[in-house]
Amino acid sequence: MTYENLIFEEKDGIATLTFNRPKALNALNNALLGEMAQLLDEIRENEQIRVLVLTGAGEKAFVAGADITELASFTPLQGKLFAARGQDAINRLQGLSIPVIAAVNGFALGGGSEIALAADFIYASENARFGLPEITLGLIPGFGGTQRLPRQIGAARAKEMIFTGKMITAAEAQEMGLVNRVCSAETLLSEAMETAGAIAAKGRVALRAAKESVNNGLNVDLATGIRFELDAFALCMASPDAREGTKAFLEKRKAKFSGGLAD
Ligand code: CO8
């Protein structure tokens, strides 16, 4: 499948999805969101892919939000369908069992921040800017921002960002725990790829179990989360990767994980 608004590349188990409408700062229109949902389905079904990296085409933006030209033409019902389409694509992103890194290279506004928030963690270039400016358009975030941002940085900080619509710098985002690492614009992608490579070398079953365990635990009480972790741990113990990982340690060599579900 070829995509008009996205670039998809895959090498050595690491997939890169690049939002590709640089003339509109990679703004999200209906066509792009449809392609995104389709591509994420392909990624989910592709067993070769171990890690996904997200980034934006051009030097200015990751994604500058929903396409305001398109948004301005919508009837209320069309607006609702558009918001549902965006939420669906972003839910699919968050639902991927593989780790996802957002490499935010410039503006990540509105829907752009909301996409980055659905990744497992964010690396940002020094010139990156995050914000939910919907309030300045007479709107509120509609792609999950009112829900994921407070979970990530706390309600008070999220409300300040949502009520003012102001952008924050990469350094401020790091200070708030929104961004894991700030990189120079030149090294952002290579640093994200290096981390992706380190993750891709780990066992697939354990990565999936770790991601599910953290994500499920965030939505339940501690005791329930810990019980989930127990089951996920037991699942890992039953995997060929756990046998290989422990054997390799004892034999003082690097583990070679197959990612297989059975011997
Ligand atoms: N939509 C459409 N076009 C855009 C967008 C956008 N979000 N952002 C930038 N562009 C276009 C500009 O119109 C401009 O096009 P042209 O060259 O044809 O005039 C081009 O990209 C370059 O942009 P600027 O000239 O404005 O570049 P600056 O460096 O001066 O400014 C900014 C960069 C600060 C990023 C500025 O472009 C800006 O403020 N953009 C809008 C950001 C914004 O408000 N985003 C939030 C959108 S709303 C949203 O995301 C809601 C999600 C939930 C929706 C729920 C559905 C109902």
Side-chain angles (χ1 to χ4, degrees):
M1 167 96 199
T2 52
Y3 296 96
E4 278 182 25
N5 302 287
L6 304 173
I7 301 169
F8 175 65
E9 290 159 304
E10 196 247 308
K11 192 168 178 262
D12 300 331
I14 302 170
T16 315
L17 185 168
T18 306
F19 297 99
N20 187 34
R21 297 186 66 220
K23 284 187 185 143
L25 303 188
N26 306 321
L28 308 166
N29 59 9
N30 244 319
L32 187 153
L33 290 174
E35 288 185 3
M36 182 177 160
Q38 213 165 347
L39 177 55
L40 290 171
D41 280 352
E42 278 183 38
I43 291 171
R44 193 189 57 218
E45 298 303 323
N46 185 338
E47 299 235 316
Q48 302 308 312
I49 300 175
R50 316 286 289 266
V51 183
L52 172 64
V53 175
L54 308 174
T55 195
E59 285 165 12
K60 258 180 104 169
F62 174 71
V63 168
D67 188 313
I68 299 172
T69 311
E70 205 178 65
L71 202 63
S73 71
F74 286 153
T75 62
L77 189 56
Q78 286 170 329
K80 185 173 180 188
L81 290 174
F82 179 74
R85 183 173 256 217
Q87 289 186 354
D88 173 61
I90 293 173
N91 288 343
R92 283 183 212 212
L93 176 65
Q94 189 167 35
L96 286 178
S97 62
I98 56 169
V100 179
I101 305 172
V104 172
N105 55 320
F107 293 108
L109 302 176
S113 275
E114 291 170 299
I115 287 175
L117 278 163
D120 292 303
F121 55 87
I122 303 172
Y123 284 6
S125 60
E126 285 159 353
N127 66 331
R129 296 288 178 273
F130 295 82
L132 292 175
E134 288 87 346
I135 204 88
T136 59
L137 301 169
L139 294 167
I140 65 165
F143 292 165
T146 63
Q147 303 306 304
R148 291 193 179 94
L149 188 64
R151 282 169 169 78
Q152 191 64 27
I153 64 171
R157 283 178 148 162
K159 283 177 189 162
E160 188 175 347
M161 284 181 70
I162 293 167
F163 296 170
T164 65
K166 277 192 186 158
M167 292 185 224
I168 58 169
T169 63
E172 286 167 330
Q174 187 178 31
E175 157 80 19
M176 289 180 186
L178 182 59
V179 160
N180 275 17
R181 191 190 295 185
V182 179
C183 315
S184 74
E186 293 72 36
T187 64
L188 170 69
L189 206 52
S190 61
E191 291 192 47
M193 295 305 268
E194 193 185 331
T195 301
I199 294 171
K202 303 292 187 287
R204 183 145 41 101
V205 175
L207 283 173
R208 183 187 182 125
K211 177 164 174 169
E212 275 185 9
S213 200
V214 173
N215 284 354
N216 287 347
L218 290 173
N219 296 321
V220 296
D221 63 89
L222 184 62
T224 309
I226 284 182
R227 226 174 35 242
F228 184 88
E229 184 190 77
L230 190 64
D231 290 341
F233 181 85
L235 186 77
C236 291
M237 283 299 285
S239 74
D241 282 351
R243 274 189 296 287
E244 163 62 8
T246 47
K247 193 161 172 269
F249 176 81
L250 295 173
E251 292 171 359
K252 299 189 187 306
R253 61 174 174 83
K254 203 164 180 274
K256 271 201 202 143
F257 295 116
S258 69
L261 301 179
D263 290 320

